Amino acid sequence: MAGRQQEVYAPHSIRMEGDLTLGGLFPVHARGLPGEPCGDIKKENGIHRLEAMMYALDQINSDDELLPNITLGARVLDTCSRDTYALEQSLTFVQALIQKDTSDVRCTNGEPPVFVKPEKVVGVIGASASSVSIMVANILRLFQIPQISYASTAPELSDDRRYDFFSRVVPPDSFQAQAMVDIVKAMGWNYVSTVASEGSYGEKGVEAFMQISRESGGICIAQSLKIPHDRKQADFDKIIQQLLSTSNARAIIIFASDEDIRGILNATKRADQVGHFLWIGSDSWGAKSSPIHQLEDAAVGAVTILPKRATIAGFDAYFTSRTLENNRRNVWFAEYWEENFNCKLMSSSKKEDTSRKCTGQERIGTDSKYEQEGKVQFVIDAVYAMAHALHNMQKELCPDTSGVCPEMDQAGGKKLLKYIRNVSFNGSAGTPVTFNRNGDAPGRYDLFQYQMNNSSTPGYKVIGQWMDTLQLNDMQWPNGETGIPISVCNLPCKTGERKKMVKGMPCCWHCELCDGYQYQYDETTCKLCPYNMRPNGNRTGCQPIPIVKLEWHSPWAVIPVFLAMLGIIATIFVMATFIRYNDTPIVRASGRELSYVLLTGIFLCYIITFLMIAKPDVGICSFRRIFLGLGMCISYAALLTKTNRIYRIFEEGKKSVTPPRLISPTSQLAITSSLISVQLLGVFIWFGVDPPNIVIDYDEQKTMNPSQARGMLKCDITDLQIICSLGYSILLMVTCTVYAIKTRGVPENFNEAKPIGFTMYTTCIVWLAFIPIFFGTAQSAEKLYIQTTTLTISMNLSASVALGMLYMPKVYVIIFHPELNVQKRKRSFKAVVTAATMSTRLSHKPSDRPNGEAKTELCENVDPNSECHHASPPPISQNYLINLAKYGFN
């Protein structure tokens, strides 16, 4: 050692003589009340840390390997936890570097004064609070004095352009903020509030947290509140009320001093909200007992962060051995002694809450509670970092000299800073101590949670660590909550609901159901299912819409099929009867050729029912097109040919005795065939223009409720095409009806005009009812069923009407009254005249009669004794009667 170490005491600083002097800044006292710079002594943050520097200097000065023959001295100042006061105190460190003009200064005896040159401070250890470090760093950089902090973690101190002489052995809050973000995400929280003490540490820490949370996404800040410097109890109560206004944000990120943490916890108790908030405290809270003393119940569940540390056993032995006798170099130790043992050393003591006298025999850890403060390790590491830098500098600049050489003395702080940034050694806890290019230490954190339960003693429990990645163990929560409490703006939406985000708050949303045919595409989007699909049960995707068709067992099909089967049986029966009695007078008088054609048409009208209900395929669809209108066309073509033949015969008979043309059976079949060929030609053209195909119609049964949606398998035939296909048959039907009306006066003994007329009238009524039903249900969900049933029943009724009115009476006579199915005798001319006269019922004015004949009535009963016996038949009736007789209508 270069010489004996001397100790000088001053009321506001500690001075230890040495070859090289290190400055020290510690918050020995708390911030004072307004008008006073300093307040109460801080036992842990102040005295423990200060003594840690003293301990480290003792260790270094007693180490023959580190800085041999060089003694490190110190000048330790109290910052009183106030940045402006610390700035004033730190001017002490730069006095030796300030040139003073003493030319005008003289002593009273005229001699020039002798100035005691202040010691030169080569580096500063401190400060604690970031706001203090920032203030001090601004002046120290002007004089190029390196500074190593043991507790300042504000992110802005990483700015190497503004704080180029600042280094720290603790990681910056940007790492701490990243760890906090990772904790929040691991808990599944996305809605948090922040509380910060006014000043660089609190504000910059919260700012770093908010910036990282924005960059990583998934976390929203409900409120960001600040505790003012000159806070009062009402300020803390107001902050708690503001936090409760966003009660869903239970997680609170807090960057605050010990006093502010206590104020917040106290306000929580006053508001009766203990257990509501989930605190995540920064390293200023760490694992310290002072912020939660007598407020433990309000702190239960709090997760806190502290740079990885270890208890330094050597310091414990050193500190617990300190007494008033052996620690006189610490000018604040007596004040600490009084506070720690709650006693008074002298009557002039400022401690007024006790009258007990201190004996001086009290022992730390025995007569008082002792627990090593969390930053002790970092204070020791900071002092050792400065010592290693000075050691490496001395080895390089003074290779042949023991102790401090002139080169080293004149090297300056800039040179020393380079050595500080390049140090690498194992610290007091065995972990590496290094600095990056900005002077920051690597991020290594322990995670604590304050737990209080019956199975363990209350206190901070290590629950994990953070070293670039997060590791968490079992945790306990307030109020006996077993699962992780929630701190979210809104609960997750249910399956099938999308998030409608709140503007400016990406973590808050309203849940909206994906309705209709939409499914949940992602968290915020509903998309419409494809045309042939519908959403599944939980609306997370789409599934094919079930395909249905008109089933045989459906009530919509059972009735038409039943009617069609009855009709087919009846038609076959009639046809078989006519074939069996083909040569009988009734069958011959009915016009056998056209009757068989008509019965064929009726049969096809019944058959179409089965084609309309059968499962659609290309073949079925082809047959539907062909037979849809063909059965009716055949039926009404035959009926039209019949009624037209009757009409022409009677009309021609009124004019001449020459029979009309094309009234033979062959001609009648030819006319009927030509009429039918028009229908077939139209169908073949339809085939060519639009080949038959099957389609699945998803619109017809696309109900409001997707679960009831169905795709209808059907033929590619539109409503318009159906009407067009039936249109020609309807035209034939209307024309036939017109002829039936015109021939309604023909005697029923001579023709089928009246039954045909009744048939056509009834058929028209059926189809007039069909039209509104068919088109009126076009928008119905049961459209296919209703239209198919309506169409088939209408065709069945049409066929049944024709079958019943035209053929059933004849079949009845043939089977049950065969005696009537015989050739009638030749009628007398007089009977023919009577029948013809009754059919015409002519009643003309004399001026309208040919040849000026007077009115003549032909009597129904030809009686020789009646007056009508003397009447002569008019000449116009002769041709009429000749035609009747000639073409055998009786």
Side-chain angles (χ1 to χ4, degrees):
M1 302 266 310
R4 183 178 178 277
Q5 180 178 339
Q6 297 181 4
E7 300 173 357
V8 180
Y9 310 112
H12 297 297
S13 67
I14 297 174
R15 177 183 288 177
M16 294 173 55
E17 294 291 343
D19 301 318
L20 298 173
T21 302
L22 301 181
L25 293 171
F26 295 93
V28 179
H29 291 87
R31 183 192 301 268
L33 298 172
E36 297 182 14
C38 302
D40 295 334
I41 195 166
K42 300 176 76 170
K43 295 191 298 180
E44 297 172 342
N45 289 14
I47 298 300
H48 281 211
R49 295 177 184 180
L50 183 152
E51 288 293 344
M53 181 175 178
M54 298 298 189
Y55 167 77
L57 290 174
D58 290 346
Q59 294 295 108
I60 293 167
N61 289 334
S62 62
D63 190 342
D64 294 334
E65 300 294 330
L66 185 61
L67 289 175
N69 297 319
I70 296 178
T71 302
L72 289 181
R75 183 71 181 273
V76 182
L77 304 174
D78 179 11
T79 65
C80 290
S81 306
R82 189 189 296 271
D83 50 3
T84 53
Y85 182 80
L87 179 61
E88 296 171 6
Q89 295 293 301
S90 64
L91 292 175
T92 305
F93 300 145
V94 301
Q95 286 178 353
L97 302 175
I98 298 175
Q99 298 295 327
K100 297 179 180 179
D101 183 8
T102 61
S103 59
D104 295 335
V105 180
R106 289 290 184 270
C107 294
T108 54
N109 60 3
E111 294 294 324
V114 177
F115 290 96
V116 178
K117 188 175 182 181
E119 71 278 343
K120 178 183 177 183
V121 174
V122 296
V124 174
I125 305 300
S128 179
S130 294
S131 57
V132 175
S133 289
I134 289 170
M135 189 73 79
V136 173
N138 284 319
I139 191 169
L140 294 182
R141 71 183 295 270
L142 296 177
F143 296 92
Q144 297 187 346
I145 299 176
Q147 173 186 2
I148 301 178
S149 174
Y150 50 83
S152 298
T153 56
E156 67 177 295
L157 287 167
S158 297
D159 188 350
D160 194 44
R161 294 171 298 177
R162 293 179 58 195
Y163 307 103
D164 44 346
F165 282 82
F166 178 85
S167 304
R168 49 187 163 190
V169 291
V170 289
D173 284 339
S174 54
F175 293 161
Q176 182 175 201
Q178 180 65 63
M180 286 178 156
V181 168
D182 290 348
I183 291 171
V184 169
K185 289 191 171 183
M187 297 296 103
W189 301 334
N190 64 13
Y191 196 49
V192 301
S193 293
T194 64
V195 176
S197 292
E198 186 175 3
S200 295
Y201 172 77
E203 294 178 41
K204 297 300 181 180
V206 165
E207 183 180 317
F209 175 84
M210 293 173 68
Q211 180 179 349
I212 294 172
S213 65
R214 279 194 302 268
E215 291 172 355
S216 63
I219 299 176
C220 295
I221 308 301
Q223 296 190 72
S224 186
L225 306 177
K226 185 165 62 175
I227 305 170
H229 276 310
D230 54 345
R231 70 277 186 194
K232 301 179 181 62
Q233 179 175 305
D235 295 321
F236 293 113
D237 292 336
K238 181 180 178 181
I239 287 173
I240 293 300
Q241 292 305 316
Q242 288 177 294
L243 293 175
L244 289 173
S245 68
T246 52
S247 57
N248 284 351
R250 293 181 62 189
I252 311 297
I253 310 300
I254 183 166
F255 283 82
S257 63
D258 294 5
E259 296 86 350
D260 290 345
I261 293 170
R262 288 188 63 82
I264 289 291
L265 295 179
N266 261 314
T268 303
K269 292 190 72 172
R270 286 193 298 273
D272 195 23
Q273 293 296 325
V274 171
H276 173 77
F277 295 111
L278 309 168
W279 309 107
I280 299 182
S282 64
D283 60 346
S284 62
W285 186 335
K288 291 185 289 191
S289 58
S290 58
I292 63 171
H293 180 57
Q294 296 182 343
L295 296 170
E296 289 83 358
D297 55 340
V300 171
V303 177
T304 59
I305 294 178
L306 197 61
K308 243 182 188 326
R309 64 172 187 171
T311 300
I312 310 303
F315 176 79
D316 286 342
Y318 162 81
F319 190 75
T320 55
S321 67
R322 295 300 89 191
T323 66
L324 293 171
E325 296 299 324
N326 65 15
N327 199 25
R328 292 182 178 274
R329 64 183 177 182
N330 185 345
V331 297
W332 299 289
F333 196 70
E335 188 179 353
Y336 165 80
W337 195 270
E338 290 182 328
E339 184 68 27
N340 190 52
F341 295 106
N342 194 26
C343 62
K344 296 173 69 171
L345 285 171
M346 57 189 73
S347 58
S348 60
S349 172
K350 295 180 181 180
K351 190 168 181 60
E352 299 176 353
D353 57 348
T354 183
S355 59
R356 191 170 70 88
K357 299 291 184 180
C358 298
T359 65
Q361 301 304 310
E362 296 89 354
R363 291 295 177 263
I364 299 171
T366 302
D367 299 315
S368 68
K369 183 180 178 181
Y370 166 75
E371 183 180 356
Q372 188 179 123
E373 199 275 330
K375 293 293 195 301
V376 164
Q377 168 198 337
F378 301 105
V379 175
I380 297 171
D381 287 346
V383 177
Y384 265 87
M386 192 72 77
H388 277 281
L390 290 168
H391 179 83
N392 295 336
M393 184 178 177
Q394 192 274 340
K395 284 174 59 179
E396 186 172 319
L397 298 182
C398 312
D400 301 323
T401 305
S402 173
V404 180
C405 64
E407 291 83 356
M408 183 178 177
D409 194 39
Q410 297 171 4
K414 199 165 190 178
K415 191 81 170 176
L416 177 59
L417 178 67
K418 185 185 78 171
Y419 289 100
I420 290 174
R421 295 291 171 86
N422 289 325
V423 298
S424 179
F425 63 96
N426 285 331
S428 56
T431 55
V433 176
T434 58
F435 300 98
N436 63 16
R437 60 183 299 274
N438 296 324
D440 295 328
R444 292 187 293 264
Y445 295 97
D446 281 323
L447 307 180
F448 297 86
Q449 186 181 42
Y450 191 81
Q451 298 178 357
M452 181 188 295
N453 54 44
N454 298 328
S455 61
S456 62
T457 57
Y460 294 100
K461 302 293 188 295
V462 177
I463 58 169
Q465 62 179 357
W466 188 91
M467 292 189 295
D468 292 331
T469 57
L470 179 68
Q471 298 176 13
L472 279 177
N473 302 321
D474 293 336
M475 304 172 72
Q476 295 178 4
W477 302 103
N479 300 330
E481 294 186 60
T482 55
I484 297 175
I486 61 172
S487 181
V488 295
C489 184
N490 296 96
L491 293 175
C493 292
K494 297 177 182 178
T495 305
E497 294 180 341
R498 77 175 186 95
K499 295 178 180 177
K500 185 180 181 182
M501 309 308 296
V502 176
K503 187 176 182 181
M505 194 64 71
C507 302
C508 298
W509 56 80
H510 303 297
C511 294
E512 285 188 350
L513 179 67
C514 295
D515 57 359
Y517 286 80
Q518 294 181 327
Y519 71 99
Q520 185 183 3
Y521 178 72
D522 55 31
E523 283 192 339
T524 58
T525 310
C526 291
K527 282 194 172 181
L528 198 63
C529 285
Y531 180 72
N532 60 340
M533 305 188 83
R534 65 180 182 184
N536 56 23
N538 55 15
R539 293 185 178 270
T540 56
C542 295
Q543 62 185 14
I545 294 177
I547 308 302
V548 298
K549 64 178 185 64
L550 183 56
E551 300 292 343
W552 292 103
H553 56 77
S554 168
W556 297 101
V558 169
I559 296 175
V561 168
F562 178 73
L563 294 176
M565 291 180 68
L566 291 180
I568 289 172
I569 294 171
T571 304
I572 293 174
F573 177 73
V574 170
M575 194 173 290
T577 302
F578 267 51
I579 293 173
R580 170 70 177 81
Y581 299 97
N582 188 56
D583 293 325
T584 61
I586 288 181
V587 174
R588 283 189 290 116
S590 298
R592 286 174 293 187
E593 297 78 7
L594 287 183
S595 290
Y596 292 133
V597 171
L598 180 55
L599 287 171
T600 302
I602 291 172
F603 181 80
L604 293 180
C605 287
Y606 289 124
I607 287 295
I608 192 63
T609 297
F610 299 94
L611 293 175
M612 295 299 293
I613 296 173
K615 182 179 180 180
D617 57 33
V618 175
I620 293 294
C621 292
S622 300
F623 283 119
R624 282 189 188 180
R625 290 191 180 189
I626 295 171
F627 293 109
L628 181 61
L630 185 60
M632 289 180 60
C633 178
I634 293 174
S635 300
Y636 298 128
L639 286 175
L640 177 59
T641 304
K642 273 193 173 190
T643 53
N644 175 264
R645 176 172 177 258
I646 296 170
Y647 175 76
R648 288 189 294 116
I649 288 173
F650 279 90
E651 284 299 310
E652 187 68 22
K654 295 177 183 179
K655 301 174 184 178
S656 68
V657 294
T658 304
R661 300 169 55 194
L662 305 175
I663 61 173
S664 65
T666 303
S667 301
Q668 297 297 292
L669 289 176
I671 294 172
T672 302
S673 300
S674 63
L675 292 175
I676 295 170
S677 64
V678 174
Q679 173 75 17
L680 292 174
L681 178 62
V683 171
F684 292 141
I685 294 174
W686 186 7
F687 270 78
V689 174
D690 183 18
N693 195 11
I694 57 172
V695 294
I696 301 174
D697 187 349
Y698 292 99
D699 288 330
E700 185 172 313
Q701 289 202 26
K702 209 157 198 179
T703 57
M704 294 294 292
N705 185 357
S707 63
Q708 298 177 357
R710 299 292 184 269
M712 297 300 301
L713 179 65
K714 61 182 185 179
C715 292
D716 187 14
I717 303 176
T718 65
D719 294 348
L720 181 60
Q721 289 172 334
I722 290 176
I723 294 302
C724 290
S725 179
L726 297 174
Y728 179 65
S729 300
I730 293 173
L731 176 63
L732 294 178
M733 179 183 70
V734 172
T735 307
C736 186
T737 303
V738 172
Y739 276 111
I741 293 172
K742 288 186 175 184
T743 59
R744 69 186 183 279
V746 176
E748 59 182 353
N749 289 338
F750 298 120
N751 63 86
E752 295 179 303
K754 284 185 173 57
I756 291 175
F758 289 131
T759 299
M760 300 318 300
Y761 306 152
T762 307
T763 303
C764 286
I765 293 172
V766 169
W767 286 97
L768 283 174
F770 162 78
I771 298 296
I773 295 174
F774 187 84
F775 288 102
T777 57
Q779 304 301 321
S780 171
E782 307 288 338
K783 171 187 172 183
L784 177 68
Y785 303 147
I786 296 174
Q787 290 188 343
T788 301
T789 302
T790 303
L791 178 61
T792 52
I793 288 180
S794 296
M795 298 189 75
N796 287 338
L797 290 178
S798 300
S800 299
V801 167
L803 187 66
M805 291 192 174
L806 296 179
Y807 292 102
M808 284 305 173
K810 295 181 175 63
V811 171
Y812 175 78
V813 171
I814 292 173
I815 295 175
F816 296 104
H817 296 282
E819 70 278 6
L820 298 179
N821 189 13
V822 295
Q823 182 71 32
K824 292 185 179 181
R825 62 180 176 83
K826 290 292 182 178
R827 295 187 182 182
S828 66
F829 182 76
K830 187 175 182 180
V832 172
V833 171
T834 302
T837 304
M838 289 300 299
S839 67
T840 56
R841 286 292 187 183
L842 298 176
S843 179
H844 301 290
K845 294 180 181 180
S847 58
D848 294 333
R849 308 289 289 180
N851 306 317
E853 292 177 323
K855 176 180 177 181
T856 304
E857 284 192 11
L858 299 179
C859 297
E860 217 175 291
N861 299 317
V862 184
D863 188 351
N865 300 319
S866 67
E867 293 182 0
C868 291
H869 177 74
H870 303 286
S872 298
I876 192 171
S877 298
Q878 292 299 318
N879 294 329
Y880 186 78
L881 298 176
I882 292 170
N883 285 329
L884 287 177
K886 188 173 182 180
Y887 301 116
F889 274 80
N890 44 345

